[in-house]
Amino acid sequence: MAFNHPWLFWLALTLPAILALYILRPRRRQTLIPSTMLWRPVAADLEASRPWQRLQSRLLLWLQLLAAALLVLAATGPVWLAPVSSRSAIVLLDTSASMRAAEGNGTRFDRARAEVVSLAEGLRGDASITVIAFDREPRVLVRDGTDPGEVRRALEKITPSACAADPGPAFSLVRALVEQYDNPRVVLVSDGGFEPPGDAAVAFDFIPVGEGDASVAIAALNLRPGDSGQAAQVMVVNHGSRPASGTVSLATGNYPAGSRKWKLGPGQAEYLLWPDLPRGVTVAAELKPDNPAMDLLELDNRAWAVPANQTKRRVLLVSSGNLFLERVLTLMPRTEVYLADRARYELLLQGAYPYDITVLDGLAGPVPPGAALLVDPPAGSPVPGLTIGAAVDRVRPVPQPGSPLLKYVDLGGTNIRDARAIRAGAGWTADIVSGKHVLFAHGEAEGRRMAVWSVDLHRSDLPLRPAFPVLMQNTLDWLLPPGLGVPQRVRPGDEVKILPPPRATGMTVESDNGAAWELAPPFPPSPWTPGEPGLYRLIAYREGGSSVYEIAVNGYHAAEADLRVRDPRRPEAPPGSGEQAGRGSGRALPLARWLAMAALLVIIAEWGVTSRGR
């Protein structure tokens, strides 16, 4: 049901006006009398009495109310959306985060679920329904279903996720399914907020769900180091069309750190600052609006931030004496440098090897158990798939675009007298070349990360240039990324690839509610995809102990936090056009004419009742 002129519902004020007339106007029975002389005192008393009368049920009253109600409905221009029952339907059901918005006694997803069941109940003949739920990825819930009960049971098993909507894969699946039916009807049940992919090439009807747009969220929680600790900055955004206010409470670990008030107009943002927090402690923020009606989506009302990894890397330099490498390694932040010659290095390998990264200067092996950097290795094959060849004269170093080891590295004017050619197989990437010869490369071999510099630093001016410490920093960060390579910002549905620390025997991710995901063994670890916002613990087991790393997963997504209902077929449509958008769900049948005829019949009946009363 939709209305062409919903603003004319104010005409319904005529209903209480009719009731008021019956209450305020006394109704007396007319009787013939021979004289009014004896009735004059009684008339005076009646005129002084209160005009209020007890409302009595009268047929004339109900007829007048019914006629007024029918005329009001006719004026609003109601349209009945009759379902197209003779065609099979392919339904795209939005299960993204915005469908968790609370409205009325349920959520938007509850209403969307009811719409899909209604479509299934409207099927006739041999028509069937296919239901595809989608957020980041599509999944078929019902295929060629004809029983509404089957559709209802399938929908009761799913709930909206915490992920953002990505309609691309869903429309690709629909495009493949459309070819298997005879002129099927494609229906999107959603609150909009996205545009279908340009190559969708599928015409579809849109059934909007959702009414309000009140939404306030924590858009960001950032930590930065301070003089005596760290500071936290919280960004609060009001995506709704009305002003909102409330508080944000902060906690460091398990201890409260105070709260801040905020007040925002429509579309405004505000930054709240907490200075002088303890260093190296995880911070959590929670938003609470002054009125629950100011925020319909609670998914993005909490946020977490993990401080930058402060754990120091243990680097062992195995060399007969290389002042360039010793100096540059001591300049690296979060790095502890240890020195050893070849004999001591071979003794260390026979025990519990405690180093994260090993730098072998002028040596090809033995290869350590963890990450390694080979500098000026001799000819040979230190690991399978890597061969150090003959010397190359007249070296002109040319950096390779896109190499992570050469970020912010300027090799202009760098002189290298000679180097050895590197031949590497699959899994290796060239960083610096000279003609057809690879001089610097990085890759993975036997489950460990390795980098190779086939240059004698004593026969080059590279160590004397500002690019040298930057190159070393990039190399160490690639060999052992801070935080095991976990991105700073992780959202539900993101695939997180984790680099195992050296000597790890197993890896597990745990949530606050006790759920656990085993990533390894076997190695390399399987990618991990968080489903809900929260603070997770990554545990890396090794012989004799374990290491714990925290991962913050925040649920804010700008497109999902904007709860306005928008028709994806018409991006330019103004907010609040849900009634018009819903017309695509079926054949439109205007009801104003029938309502007006019914009101006319009621008025004729009222006239008849009044005439008989006289």
Side-chain angles (χ1 to χ4, degrees):
M1 176 74 74
F3 299 91
N4 287 327
H5 312 292
W7 55 274
L8 287 178
F9 270 111
W10 67 268
L11 295 175
L13 294 174
T14 56
L15 300 179
I18 294 174
L19 292 174
L21 290 176
Y22 272 83
I23 294 175
L24 294 175
R25 185 180 65 182
R27 306 182 66 86
R28 301 183 179 91
R29 188 176 55 185
Q30 296 181 0
T31 304
L32 294 176
I33 58 175
S35 175
T36 61
M37 180 179 63
L38 298 177
W39 290 88
R40 288 177 182 173
V42 177
D45 293 339
L46 290 174
E47 291 177 0
S49 64
R50 296 174 58 186
W52 297 93
Q53 300 293 322
R54 182 177 180 180
L55 183 63
Q56 298 180 2
S57 178
R58 298 176 183 272
L59 178 59
L60 190 62
L61 168 63
W62 294 115
L63 290 175
Q64 291 175 352
L65 290 176
L66 179 58
L70 291 174
L71 290 174
V72 170
L73 287 176
T76 58
V79 177
W80 176 258
L81 302 177
V84 181
S85 58
S86 60
R87 301 162 57 191
S88 294
I90 301 175
V91 180
L92 282 172
L93 176 60
D94 188 355
T95 59
S96 62
S98 62
M99 301 298 284
R100 291 188 177 188
E103 292 182 340
N105 296 326
T107 64
R108 288 186 175 181
F109 187 71
D110 294 333
R111 180 176 172 184
R113 194 156 35 192
E115 293 284 358
V116 177
V117 173
S118 177
L119 290 173
E121 293 174 344
L123 295 176
R124 296 294 183 271
D126 58 351
S128 63
I129 185 171
T130 298
V131 182
I132 302 172
F134 75 96
D135 39 50
R136 289 177 66 96
E137 296 291 338
R139 52 197 181 279
V140 178
L141 302 180
V142 178
R143 179 68 188 270
D144 295 333
T146 57
D147 181 12
E150 176 190 359
V151 176
R152 184 182 297 105
R153 290 188 295 271
L155 294 179
E156 289 175 352
K157 297 178 182 179
I158 65 170
T159 56
S161 70
C163 305
D166 182 6
F171 274 94
S172 296
L173 178 58
V174 169
R175 188 169 60 249
L177 290 176
V178 164
E179 300 177 356
Q180 305 176 17
Y181 297 89
D182 181 17
N183 189 26
R185 177 187 175 206
V186 180
V187 183
L188 171 64
V189 183
S190 170
D191 56 3
F194 55 82
E195 294 185 17
D199 59 348
V202 176
F204 62 93
D205 296 334
F206 175 56
I207 299 181
V209 291
E211 298 175 357
D213 64 353
S215 176
V216 186
I218 296 180
L221 171 57
N222 300 313
L223 300 179
R224 66 171 184 265
D227 296 335
S228 59
Q230 64 181 354
Q233 185 186 64
V234 177
M235 179 182 179
V236 182
V237 180
N238 180 13
H239 287 277
S241 59
R242 295 183 179 181
S245 60
T247 59
V248 171
S249 302
L250 203 74
T252 55
N254 296 323
Y255 299 95
S259 59
R260 301 283 189 275
K261 296 285 293 182
W262 53 268
K263 186 175 182 181
L264 298 172
Q268 291 184 347
E270 183 175 353
Y271 292 89
L272 307 176
L273 182 65
W274 281 261
D276 302 326
L277 298 177
R279 186 187 302 274
V281 179
T282 299
V283 175
E286 183 175 4
L287 180 148
K288 292 183 178 180
D290 289 336
N291 187 336
M294 296 177 179
D295 186 22
L296 304 179
L297 184 64
E298 297 183 356
L299 180 70
D300 46 23
N301 287 1
R302 299 191 67 189
W304 297 262
V306 178
N309 186 17
Q310 301 296 325
T311 304
K312 291 187 176 182
R313 294 175 292 207
R314 299 167 62 89
V315 177
L316 176 64
L317 172 59
V318 182
S319 174
S320 58
N322 191 325
L323 187 60
F324 296 133
L325 290 175
E326 292 182 25
R327 291 287 179 85
V328 74
L329 288 174
T330 56
L331 295 176
M332 298 297 101
R334 301 180 294 102
T335 302
E336 293 180 348
V337 182
Y338 301 87
L339 303 178
D341 56 15
R342 182 185 180 93
R344 180 168 176 77
Y345 169 62
E346 293 179 351
L347 289 176
L348 291 172
L349 290 175
Q350 299 177 9
Y353 197 77
Y355 305 103
D356 301 315
I357 301 175
T358 304
V359 180
L360 299 179
D361 178 34
L363 302 175
V367 178
L373 168 62
L374 308 183
V375 180
D376 189 24
S381 181
V383 292
L386 176 68
T387 302
I388 310 299
V392 178
D393 295 329
R394 299 180 181 179
V395 175
R396 291 184 176 85
V398 178
Q400 296 300 290
S403 170
L405 273 59
L406 299 182
K407 188 177 181 180
Y408 307 120
V409 175
D410 183 10
L411 296 178
T414 302
N415 298 300
I416 298 176
R417 183 167 183 177
D418 53 28
R420 293 185 179 274
I422 299 174
R423 295 195 303 273
W428 287 82
T429 302
D431 302 309
I432 300 176
V433 300
S434 176
K436 298 181 180 180
H437 303 292
V438 178
L439 308 183
F440 287 50
H442 68 278
E444 296 190 15
E446 298 180 332
R448 64 172 65 83
R449 288 194 170 190
M450 297 183 64
V452 181
W453 300 353
S454 65
V455 173
D456 184 354
L457 297 178
H458 296 91
R459 299 169 65 86
S460 170
D461 61 358
L462 176 61
L464 306 178
R465 295 183 173 275
F468 186 56
V470 180
L471 175 62
M472 179 60 75
Q473 179 70 59
N474 292 342
T475 303
L476 296 183
D477 286 346
W478 184 83
L479 291 173
L480 185 63
L484 304 185
V486 177
Q488 287 291 328
R489 299 183 183 276
V490 180
R491 291 188 294 198
D494 290 349
E495 185 178 87
V496 181
K497 296 182 179 180
I498 301 173
L499 179 69
R503 307 179 307 280
T505 59
M507 299 184 69
T508 303
V509 174
E510 295 181 353
S511 65
D512 290 338
N513 59 12
W517 298 265
E518 184 177 352
L519 307 183
F523 288 90
S526 303
W528 170 62
T529 303
E532 293 290 330
L535 187 64
Y536 295 82
R537 298 193 314 154
L538 171 62
I539 306 175
Y541 299 96
R542 65 177 185 275
E543 294 183 5
S546 62
S547 301
V548 179
Y549 305 83
E550 291 182 315
I551 303 176
V553 180
N554 294 320
Y556 174 77
H557 192 285
E560 299 298 319
D562 187 352
L563 297 181
R564 293 175 299 164
V565 178
R566 289 156 289 176
D567 189 341
R569 301 170 304 178
R570 295 178 290 112
E572 72 279 2
S577 59
E579 295 86 359
Q580 300 295 330
R583 294 188 179 186
S585 61
R587 184 165 53 93
L589 300 177
L591 302 180
R593 180 184 307 173
W594 301 101
L595 291 172
M597 292 179 62
L600 178 61
L601 294 176
V602 173
I603 292 173
I604 294 175
E606 177 193 3
W607 175 78
V609 172
T610 305
S611 299
R612 286 199 306 270
R614 291 180 179 177

